[in-house]
Amino acid sequence: MSIGGPTEFEAVTAADGMNTDPSGDDAPADIQGRSLASIAWRRLRRDKVALAGGVVIVLFVLVAVFADLIAAVYGQNPDRQNNLGPTSPINDVTGLPNGAFGGISPEHILGVIPLSGQDLFINLVYGARTSLSVAITATALSLVLGVSLGLIAGYFRGWADTVISRTMDVLLSFPTLLFSIALIAVVSYINSDPAIRFYILVFVLGFFAFPYIGRIVRGQVLSLREKEFVEAARSLGAGNIRIMFREIAPNLFGPILVYTTLSIPNNMLGEAGLSFLGLGLVGTPSWGQLLSDANQYLQVDPFYLFLPGLAIFIAVLAFNLFGDGLRDALDPKSTR
Amino acid sequence: MIRFILGRFAGMILVLFIVSVVTFGIFQIGPIFANASPVFYYIGKAPATPQLVAALEHRYGFDQPIPVQYFNFIGGIFGKSITDGVSQTVQCPFPCFGYSFRQNELVSVLIGRAIPVSVSIIVGAAVLWLVGGVAVGTASALRPGTFIDRAGMTGALAAVSLPIFFTGPVLLLIFVYGLGWLPTIQYASLLDDPLRWLQSVILPWIALAFLFAALYARLTRSNMLETMGEDYIRTARAKGLDRRTVIVKHGLRAALTPIVTIFGIDVGTLIGTTVITESVFNLRGLGYLSIQAVTQQDLPIILGVTIVAALGLVIANFVVDVLYAFIDPRVAV
């Protein structure tokens, strides 16, 4: 889903795995066939910017996974309020953090949240967990739907293709953001369980995005199904399911991988945007929620705004850089 | 061509129908899961006796079968009399989306007031991002691999990674609270007070344009690179045409056609989806209206705004399709 953003998913160019001539790189001494994956890896290894993105992604994932451990070592948790007592980092009169840069101190390495005095660093750490878990699950949902429906549409053609393609067309011309807002409003009205928010967020982000990958997969399958290896498999007696998942699907690895790395940052922005509007998860810190809170202290504590903003920016940029590099590396036309 | 246009028109009506059914369905089917009356969505979570709930359900027609309710709703858009907040019967002319009991006003009046705000934001931003994005993209494509290209594309990738709810407050912080070049945002109609109108929409323009320009720059660059590699470009140069003419008349023209398509769709999509921009800059457009309606559980407004936004989107799609068919007649065959 795009949050006030452009409708078209950026053209995830189809990196067709077939018939790739491995001679684009520096020619090896003895001629040997190289798989697409190894060529792509060689190219990616030379792309320092993409690799830097990859390293940052790994760091964010580690932070998200070990959030509890970090909290235990650091000695703070996202909910703990530090606004009482003589050693409180919060000014009793103004409610603002004492000291420069939002109250940075050895106990609170990135300062504290105004009024409540909650530690900002540990809120950002748990925000990473929220952001990544929603984004990855939503991407997984759109992948499962998009790949399987795209496979069916492209492989069987005929009425199945008509139904699936039309459905995808309609979904692409849906006012997604408003619809999500309405859906979240109704669902949280019916069921106020905080856990339900996770599923509904994943649904609105993942479901409305599946036509993007669905269209790519369908297009690829339409050409792949005519290839000789499919005919060979069929002549050996392979059934439709086997041909679809064992013969055709592995060739879709490239475009799916590129879509995945570019869809995760999109969903991170989507989650943050909905959280910013107050429609995100309940009871867990999220970057969008922190930004929306920071807006109230814009003039008195601007530092509070910059930290969650930077967290989103760095995480999303890392995924975008890595995804871009991956796309170039997997593109058979690329000569890099 | 006529047949193509009619076909697309039918498609547009179909999409509108589906959007209205689904949106309406959420509000009608949702309560069934919760064993709650849909009346609550319209009047809010007020404590009421079962008798009162039943009476209200009857008055607003919720005791009828769901398809009947749907057609009543759609038929009602073309005008009907409805009961307002103080039980007065008022005339609700086309386009009628019912009555907001929270704001004590017709939904159509509220939407009518919000549309100029959203349109002001979108039109200005669209001009900025189209010009800016195409300029940066072309500059990058003409000197691929140079510093200009790298700076432009890295900047563009950074800009797509910046959410508007971060750039927006930063802009406010700099230009309103820091430098004091602009007053705090107070929207005024273009006709009433052009200066204040400009002061209130300039920052949203920049924030929105920044995000979109980045995408357009990337798109222009890749299209332009592809076009400049075509044989006919070389032919034009070989004929002795100067570089500028070739770039502008031959290259840019071909590279821009797909961008214009996306531009049309993006502008259409933005109607009603500038929610975050409007909420950052405190502008009362369509998005602001719908998010306010969500917090107040004022569902007639959400329903109305969603349908208006869908209308904007399908009209944009339709116009783009038809225009495209005129530019490139092969599409319509």
Side-chain angles (χ1 to χ4, degrees), chain A residues 91-132:
Chain A
N91 187 311
D92 291 342
V93 183
T94 59
L96 295 175
N98 285 321
F101 302 119
I104 286 186
S105 66
E107 293 91 73
H108 306 287
I109 56 171
L110 292 179
V112 290
I113 293 172
L115 289 187
S116 68
Q118 286 154 290
D119 186 84
L120 194 50
F121 169 72
I122 206 71
N123 266 284
L124 290 175
V125 166
Y126 278 88
R129 177 179 270 192
T130 308
S131 184
L132 280 173

mmCIF file of all heavy atoms in Angstrom, chain A residues 91-132:
data_model
loop_
_atom_site.group_PDB
_atom_site.id
_atom_site.type_symbol
_atom_site.label_atom_id
_atom_site.label_comp_id
_atom_site.label_asym_id
_atom_site.label_seq_id
_atom_site.Cartn_x
_atom_site.Cartn_y
_atom_site.Cartn_z
ATOM 1 N N ASN A 91 12.202 17.825 33.848
ATOM 2 C CA ASN A 91 12.034 19.038 34.636
ATOM 3 C C ASN A 91 10.623 19.082 35.236
ATOM 4 O O ASN A 91 9.643 18.930 34.521
ATOM 5 C CB ASN A 91 12.248 20.246 33.719
ATOM 6 C CG ASN A 91 12.262 21.550 34.480
ATOM 7 O OD1 ASN A 91 11.382 21.818 35.287
ATOM 8 N ND2 ASN A 91 13.283 22.348 34.223
ATOM 9 N N ASP A 92 10.548 19.281 36.562
ATOM 10 C CA ASP A 92 9.250 19.242 37.229
ATOM 11 C C ASP A 92 8.308 20.320 36.727
ATOM 12 O O ASP A 92 7.097 20.142 36.700
ATOM 13 C CB ASP A 92 9.438 19.456 38.746
ATOM 14 C CG ASP A 92 10.126 18.273 39.373
ATOM 15 O OD1 ASP A 92 10.127 17.221 38.720
ATOM 16 O OD2 ASP A 92 10.657 18.410 40.484
ATOM 17 N N VAL A 93 8.854 21.470 36.347
ATOM 18 C CA VAL A 93 8.002 22.604 35.980
ATOM 19 C C VAL A 93 7.554 22.505 34.524
ATOM 20 O O VAL A 93 6.363 22.557 34.218
ATOM 21 C CB VAL A 93 8.748 23.934 36.234
ATOM 22 C CG1 VAL A 93 7.835 25.109 35.913
ATOM 23 C CG2 VAL A 93 9.229 23.988 37.671
ATOM 24 N N THR A 94 8.508 22.328 33.619
ATOM 25 C CA THR A 94 8.156 22.364 32.197
ATOM 26 C C THR A 94 7.729 21.008 31.654
ATOM 27 O O THR A 94 7.050 20.934 30.630
ATOM 28 C CB THR A 94 9.353 22.828 31.356
ATOM 29 O OG1 THR A 94 10.430 21.910 31.587
ATOM 30 C CG2 THR A 94 9.794 24.226 31.727
ATOM 31 N N GLY A 95 8.138 19.946 32.304
ATOM 32 C CA GLY A 95 7.846 18.614 31.786
ATOM 33 C C GLY A 95 8.771 18.221 30.658
ATOM 34 O O GLY A 95 8.605 17.172 30.044
ATOM 35 N N LEU A 96 9.770 19.084 30.374
ATOM 36 C CA LEU A 96 10.705 18.781 29.289
ATOM 37 C C LEU A 96 11.944 18.109 29.858
ATOM 38 O O LEU A 96 12.231 18.234 31.046
ATOM 39 C CB LEU A 96 11.103 20.074 28.578
ATOM 40 C CG LEU A 96 9.971 20.772 27.846
ATOM 41 C CD1 LEU A 96 10.447 22.099 27.298
ATOM 42 C CD2 LEU A 96 9.446 19.901 26.711
ATOM 43 N N PRO A 97 12.685 17.386 29.017
ATOM 44 C CA PRO A 97 13.901 16.744 29.508
ATOM 45 C C PRO A 97 14.917 17.781 29.971
ATOM 46 O O PRO A 97 15.057 18.840 29.350
ATOM 47 C CB PRO A 97 14.429 15.996 28.278
ATOM 48 C CG PRO A 97 13.287 15.903 27.351
ATOM 49 C CD PRO A 97 12.420 17.077 27.618
ATOM 50 N N ASN A 98 15.604 17.492 31.067
ATOM 51 C CA ASN A 98 16.686 18.349 31.541
ATOM 52 C C ASN A 98 17.913 18.136 30.668
ATOM 53 O O ASN A 98 18.163 17.036 30.191
ATOM 54 C CB ASN A 98 17.058 17.994 32.981
ATOM 55 C CG ASN A 98 16.015 18.500 33.963
ATOM 56 O OD1 ASN A 98 15.474 19.592 33.799
ATOM 57 N ND2 ASN A 98 15.726 17.691 34.966
ATOM 58 N N GLY A 99 18.676 19.196 30.490
ATOM 59 C CA GLY A 99 19.927 19.060 29.751
ATOM 60 C C GLY A 99 19.713 19.183 28.257
ATOM 61 O O GLY A 99 18.581 19.260 27.766
ATOM 62 N N ALA A 100 20.858 19.181 27.555
ATOM 63 C CA ALA A 100 20.817 19.420 26.120
ATOM 64 C C ALA A 100 20.359 18.178 25.357
ATOM 65 O O ALA A 100 20.355 17.075 25.893
ATOM 66 C CB ALA A 100 22.208 19.843 25.643
ATOM 67 N N PHE A 101 19.965 18.383 24.132
ATOM 68 C CA PHE A 101 19.613 17.307 23.196
ATOM 69 C C PHE A 101 18.630 16.297 23.785
ATOM 70 O O PHE A 101 18.877 15.101 23.783
ATOM 71 C CB PHE A 101 20.878 16.581 22.716
ATOM 72 C CG PHE A 101 21.861 17.494 22.059
ATOM 73 C CD1 PHE A 101 23.128 17.663 22.580
ATOM 74 C CD2 PHE A 101 21.508 18.207 20.923
ATOM 75 C CE1 PHE A 101 24.032 18.521 21.974
ATOM 76 C CE2 PHE A 101 22.401 19.067 20.317
ATOM 77 C CZ PHE A 101 23.669 19.228 20.844
ATOM 78 N N GLY A 102 17.529 16.790 24.306
ATOM 79 C CA GLY A 102 16.481 15.882 24.769
ATOM 80 C C GLY A 102 16.884 15.064 25.975
ATOM 81 O O GLY A 102 16.361 13.975 26.192
ATOM 82 N N GLY A 103 17.810 15.591 26.803
ATOM 83 C CA GLY A 103 18.144 14.924 28.063
ATOM 84 C C GLY A 103 19.061 13.731 27.913
ATOM 85 O O GLY A 103 18.876 12.710 28.565
ATOM 86 N N ILE A 104 20.068 13.859 27.041
ATOM 87 C CA ILE A 104 21.020 12.761 26.878
ATOM 88 C C ILE A 104 21.890 12.640 28.132
ATOM 89 O O ILE A 104 22.382 13.638 28.656
ATOM 90 C CB ILE A 104 21.892 12.994 25.626
ATOM 91 C CG1 ILE A 104 21.036 12.722 24.391
ATOM 92 C CG2 ILE A 104 23.139 12.119 25.638
ATOM 93 C CD1 ILE A 104 21.783 12.759 23.108
ATOM 94 N N SER A 105 22.022 11.442 28.634
ATOM 95 C CA SER A 105 22.824 11.192 29.830
ATOM 96 C C SER A 105 23.310 9.759 29.761
ATOM 97 O O SER A 105 22.850 8.994 28.904
ATOM 98 C CB SER A 105 21.966 11.407 31.076
ATOM 99 O OG SER A 105 20.951 10.420 31.112
ATOM 100 N N PRO A 106 24.229 9.362 30.643
ATOM 101 C CA PRO A 106 24.700 7.969 30.606
ATOM 102 C C PRO A 106 23.566 6.959 30.771
ATOM 103 O O PRO A 106 23.615 5.880 30.186
ATOM 104 C CB PRO A 106 25.680 7.890 31.768
ATOM 105 C CG PRO A 106 26.124 9.288 31.974
ATOM 106 C CD PRO A 106 24.980 10.167 31.591
ATOM 107 N N GLU A 107 22.542 7.323 31.553
ATOM 108 C CA GLU A 107 21.432 6.375 31.730
ATOM 109 C C GLU A 107 20.532 6.340 30.501
ATOM 110 O O GLU A 107 19.903 5.339 30.214
ATOM 111 C CB GLU A 107 20.564 6.742 32.944
ATOM 112 C CG GLU A 107 21.232 6.610 34.286
ATOM 113 C CD GLU A 107 21.899 7.913 34.701
ATOM 114 O OE1 GLU A 107 21.173 8.856 35.060
ATOM 115 O OE2 GLU A 107 23.144 7.983 34.622
ATOM 116 N N HIS A 108 20.402 7.494 29.849
ATOM 117 C CA HIS A 108 19.507 7.594 28.696
ATOM 118 C C HIS A 108 20.314 8.088 27.510
ATOM 119 O O HIS A 108 20.411 9.292 27.275
ATOM 120 C CB HIS A 108 18.351 8.552 28.994
ATOM 121 C CG HIS A 108 17.601 8.197 30.233
ATOM 122 N ND1 HIS A 108 16.752 7.118 30.299
ATOM 123 C CD2 HIS A 108 17.592 8.760 31.457
ATOM 124 C CE1 HIS A 108 16.243 7.037 31.511
ATOM 125 N NE2 HIS A 108 16.729 8.017 32.248
ATOM 126 N N ILE A 109 20.888 7.140 26.753
ATOM 127 C CA ILE A 109 21.885 7.541 25.757
ATOM 128 C C ILE A 109 21.300 8.363 24.614
ATOM 129 O O ILE A 109 22.014 9.086 23.949
ATOM 130 C CB ILE A 109 22.658 6.323 25.188
ATOM 131 C CG1 ILE A 109 21.685 5.306 24.607
ATOM 132 C CG2 ILE A 109 23.563 5.721 26.244
ATOM 133 C CD1 ILE A 109 22.393 4.210 23.855
ATOM 134 N N LEU A 110 19.995 8.259 24.368
ATOM 135 C CA LEU A 110 19.396 9.103 23.329
ATOM 136 C C LEU A 110 18.357 10.048 23.927
ATOM 137 O O LEU A 110 17.490 10.557 23.227
ATOM 138 C CB LEU A 110 18.769 8.252 22.223
ATOM 139 C CG LEU A 110 19.737 7.447 21.353
ATOM 140 C CD1 LEU A 110 18.982 6.647 20.314
ATOM 141 C CD2 LEU A 110 20.745 8.363 20.669
ATOM 142 N N GLY A 111 18.408 10.240 25.215
ATOM 143 C CA GLY A 111 17.460 11.157 25.836
ATOM 144 C C GLY A 111 16.160 10.485 26.220
ATOM 145 O O GLY A 111 16.016 9.255 26.119
ATOM 146 N N VAL A 112 15.220 11.304 26.665
ATOM 147 C CA VAL A 112 13.951 10.767 27.141
ATOM 148 C C VAL A 112 12.795 11.482 26.455
ATOM 149 O O VAL A 112 12.956 12.538 25.859
ATOM 150 C CB VAL A 112 13.802 10.914 28.672
ATOM 151 C CG1 VAL A 112 14.752 9.990 29.404
ATOM 152 C CG2 VAL A 112 13.989 12.348 29.097
ATOM 153 N N ILE A 113 11.611 10.864 26.569
ATOM 154 C CA ILE A 113 10.396 11.436 26.008
ATOM 155 C C ILE A 113 9.866 12.493 26.985
ATOM 156 O O ILE A 113 9.831 12.238 28.186
ATOM 157 C CB ILE A 113 9.359 10.314 25.787
ATOM 158 C CG1 ILE A 113 9.861 9.369 24.701
ATOM 159 C CG2 ILE A 113 7.991 10.882 25.434
ATOM 160 C CD1 ILE A 113 9.019 8.131 24.523
ATOM 161 N N PRO A 114 9.481 13.670 26.490
ATOM 162 C CA PRO A 114 8.963 14.698 27.392
ATOM 163 C C PRO A 114 7.772 14.183 28.215
ATOM 164 O O PRO A 114 7.072 13.254 27.789
ATOM 165 C CB PRO A 114 8.515 15.808 26.448
ATOM 166 C CG PRO A 114 9.290 15.603 25.208
ATOM 167 C CD PRO A 114 9.531 14.132 25.105
ATOM 168 N N LEU A 115 7.557 14.777 29.358
ATOM 169 C CA LEU A 115 6.495 14.436 30.308
ATOM 170 C C LEU A 115 6.684 13.080 30.975
ATOM 171 O O LEU A 115 6.902 12.996 32.169
ATOM 172 C CB LEU A 115 5.102 14.486 29.658
ATOM 173 C CG LEU A 115 4.560 15.862 29.309
ATOM 174 C CD1 LEU A 115 3.104 15.753 28.830
ATOM 175 C CD2 LEU A 115 4.659 16.833 30.480
ATOM 176 N N SER A 116 6.643 11.990 30.200
ATOM 177 C CA SER A 116 6.679 10.673 30.830
ATOM 178 C C SER A 116 8.097 10.271 31.229
ATOM 179 O O SER A 116 8.273 9.480 32.154
ATOM 180 C CB SER A 116 6.122 9.625 29.882
ATOM 181 O OG SER A 116 6.990 9.464 28.790
ATOM 182 N N GLY A 117 9.095 10.798 30.539
ATOM 183 C CA GLY A 117 10.472 10.440 30.834
ATOM 184 C C GLY A 117 10.850 9.034 30.407
ATOM 185 O O GLY A 117 11.850 8.485 30.843
ATOM 186 N N GLN A 118 10.040 8.422 29.527
ATOM 187 C CA GLN A 118 10.404 7.092 29.024
ATOM 188 C C GLN A 118 11.675 7.196 28.195
ATOM 189 O O GLN A 118 11.895 8.204 27.511
ATOM 190 C CB GLN A 118 9.273 6.531 28.159
ATOM 191 C CG GLN A 118 8.072 6.066 28.945
ATOM 192 C CD GLN A 118 6.826 6.144 28.088
ATOM 193 O OE1 GLN A 118 6.349 7.205 27.774
ATOM 194 N NE2 GLN A 118 6.319 4.984 27.713
ATOM 195 N N ASP A 119 12.485 6.167 28.252
ATOM 196 C CA ASP A 119 13.764 6.187 27.550
ATOM 197 C C ASP A 119 13.541 6.085 26.043
ATOM 198 O O ASP A 119 12.850 5.184 25.565
ATOM 199 C CB ASP A 119 14.635 5.021 28.029
ATOM 200 C CG ASP A 119 16.017 5.100 27.430
ATOM 201 O OD1 ASP A 119 16.832 5.821 27.994
ATOM 202 O OD2 ASP A 119 16.239 4.445 26.393
ATOM 203 N N LEU A 120 14.145 7.012 25.310
ATOM 204 C CA LEU A 120 13.888 7.063 23.868
ATOM 205 C C LEU A 120 14.603 5.935 23.126
ATOM 206 O O LEU A 120 14.040 5.328 22.209
ATOM 207 C CB LEU A 120 14.320 8.427 23.324
ATOM 208 C CG LEU A 120 13.822 8.786 21.928
ATOM 209 C CD1 LEU A 120 12.327 8.567 21.794
ATOM 210 C CD2 LEU A 120 14.142 10.237 21.622
ATOM 211 N N PHE A 121 15.829 5.632 23.545
ATOM 212 C CA PHE A 121 16.595 4.595 22.851
ATOM 213 C C PHE A 121 15.851 3.262 22.857
ATOM 214 O O PHE A 121 15.682 2.620 21.818
ATOM 215 C CB PHE A 121 17.978 4.445 23.501
ATOM 216 C CG PHE A 121 18.732 3.226 23.034
ATOM 217 C CD1 PHE A 121 19.260 3.167 21.761
ATOM 218 C CD2 PHE A 121 18.899 2.132 23.874
ATOM 219 C CE1 PHE A 121 19.945 2.051 21.323
ATOM 220 C CE2 PHE A 121 19.581 0.998 23.442
ATOM 221 C CZ PHE A 121 20.104 0.962 22.167
ATOM 222 N N ILE A 122 15.369 2.868 24.021
ATOM 223 C CA ILE A 122 14.747 1.547 24.106
ATOM 224 C C ILE A 122 13.386 1.544 23.387
ATOM 225 O O ILE A 122 12.964 0.537 22.832
ATOM 226 C CB ILE A 122 14.652 1.068 25.575
ATOM 227 C CG1 ILE A 122 14.630 -0.460 25.624
ATOM 228 C CG2 ILE A 122 13.467 1.646 26.304
ATOM 229 C CD1 ILE A 122 15.958 -1.086 25.269
ATOM 230 N N ASN A 123 12.730 2.714 23.325
ATOM 231 C CA ASN A 123 11.501 2.816 22.537
ATOM 232 C C ASN A 123 11.803 2.652 21.055
ATOM 233 O O ASN A 123 11.028 2.032 20.329
ATOM 234 C CB ASN A 123 10.816 4.156 22.801
ATOM 235 C CG ASN A 123 9.769 4.049 23.894
ATOM 236 O OD1 ASN A 123 8.683 3.526 23.670
ATOM 237 N ND2 ASN A 123 10.121 4.500 25.085
ATOM 238 N N LEU A 124 12.943 3.206 20.626
ATOM 239 C CA LEU A 124 13.322 3.051 19.219
ATOM 240 C C LEU A 124 13.662 1.587 18.919
ATOM 241 O O LEU A 124 13.339 1.069 17.858
ATOM 242 C CB LEU A 124 14.516 3.948 18.877
ATOM 243 C CG LEU A 124 14.232 5.446 18.853
ATOM 244 C CD1 LEU A 124 15.511 6.233 18.617
ATOM 245 C CD2 LEU A 124 13.213 5.779 17.777
ATOM 246 N N VAL A 125 14.315 0.921 19.897
ATOM 247 C CA VAL A 125 14.673 -0.488 19.713
ATOM 248 C C VAL A 125 13.412 -1.331 19.524
ATOM 249 O O VAL A 125 13.305 -2.120 18.584
ATOM 250 C CB VAL A 125 15.498 -0.990 20.916
ATOM 251 C CG1 VAL A 125 15.585 -2.508 20.913
ATOM 252 C CG2 VAL A 125 16.885 -0.382 20.886
ATOM 253 N N TYR A 126 12.424 -1.125 20.392
ATOM 254 C CA TYR A 126 11.190 -1.887 20.250
ATOM 255 C C TYR A 126 10.397 -1.442 19.020
ATOM 256 O O TYR A 126 9.657 -2.227 18.428
ATOM 257 C CB TYR A 126 10.343 -1.799 21.519
ATOM 258 C CG TYR A 126 10.800 -2.785 22.573
ATOM 259 C CD1 TYR A 126 11.792 -2.455 23.486
ATOM 260 C CD2 TYR A 126 10.273 -4.072 22.614
ATOM 261 C CE1 TYR A 126 12.241 -3.368 24.428
ATOM 262 C CE2 TYR A 126 10.708 -4.994 23.544
ATOM 263 C CZ TYR A 126 11.692 -4.635 24.454
ATOM 264 O OH TYR A 126 12.133 -5.546 25.365
ATOM 265 N N GLY A 127 10.591 -0.173 18.642
ATOM 266 C CA GLY A 127 9.957 0.312 17.411
ATOM 267 C C GLY A 127 10.469 -0.448 16.201
ATOM 268 O O GLY A 127 9.719 -0.734 15.266
ATOM 269 N N ALA A 128 11.759 -0.789 16.218
ATOM 270 C CA ALA A 128 12.337 -1.565 15.114
ATOM 271 C C ALA A 128 11.642 -2.914 15.016
ATOM 272 O O ALA A 128 11.357 -3.417 13.929
ATOM 273 C CB ALA A 128 13.835 -1.753 15.331
ATOM 274 N N ARG A 129 11.353 -3.504 16.186
ATOM 275 C CA ARG A 129 10.692 -4.806 16.202
ATOM 276 C C ARG A 129 9.288 -4.688 15.589
ATOM 277 O O ARG A 129 8.916 -5.475 14.716
ATOM 278 C CB ARG A 129 10.592 -5.297 17.649
ATOM 279 C CG ARG A 129 9.867 -6.592 17.782
ATOM 280 C CD ARG A 129 9.833 -7.027 19.219
ATOM 281 N NE ARG A 129 10.991 -7.855 19.542
ATOM 282 C CZ ARG A 129 11.087 -8.558 20.668
ATOM 283 N NH1 ARG A 129 10.130 -8.527 21.560
ATOM 284 N NH2 ARG A 129 12.132 -9.313 20.891
ATOM 285 N N THR A 130 8.544 -3.659 16.013
ATOM 286 C CA THR A 130 7.206 -3.437 15.459
ATOM 287 C C THR A 130 7.270 -3.267 13.948
ATOM 288 O O THR A 130 6.560 -3.931 13.193
ATOM 289 C CB THR A 130 6.594 -2.161 16.071
ATOM 290 O OG1 THR A 130 6.671 -2.254 17.474
ATOM 291 C CG2 THR A 130 5.169 -1.973 15.634
ATOM 292 N N SER A 131 8.155 -2.361 13.540
ATOM 293 C CA SER A 131 8.249 -2.006 12.136
ATOM 294 C C SER A 131 8.592 -3.226 11.279
ATOM 295 O O SER A 131 7.908 -3.519 10.293
ATOM 296 C CB SER A 131 9.333 -0.936 11.995
ATOM 297 O OG SER A 131 9.413 -0.500 10.688
ATOM 298 N N LEU A 132 9.632 -3.960 11.686
ATOM 299 C CA LEU A 132 10.069 -5.096 10.889
ATOM 300 C C LEU A 132 9.050 -6.225 10.905
ATOM 301 O O LEU A 132 8.789 -6.845 9.877
ATOM 302 C CB LEU A 132 11.419 -5.607 11.390
ATOM 303 C CG LEU A 132 12.631 -4.812 10.917
ATOM 304 C CD1 LEU A 132 13.887 -5.309 11.611
ATOM 305 C CD2 LEU A 132 12.796 -4.932 9.413
#
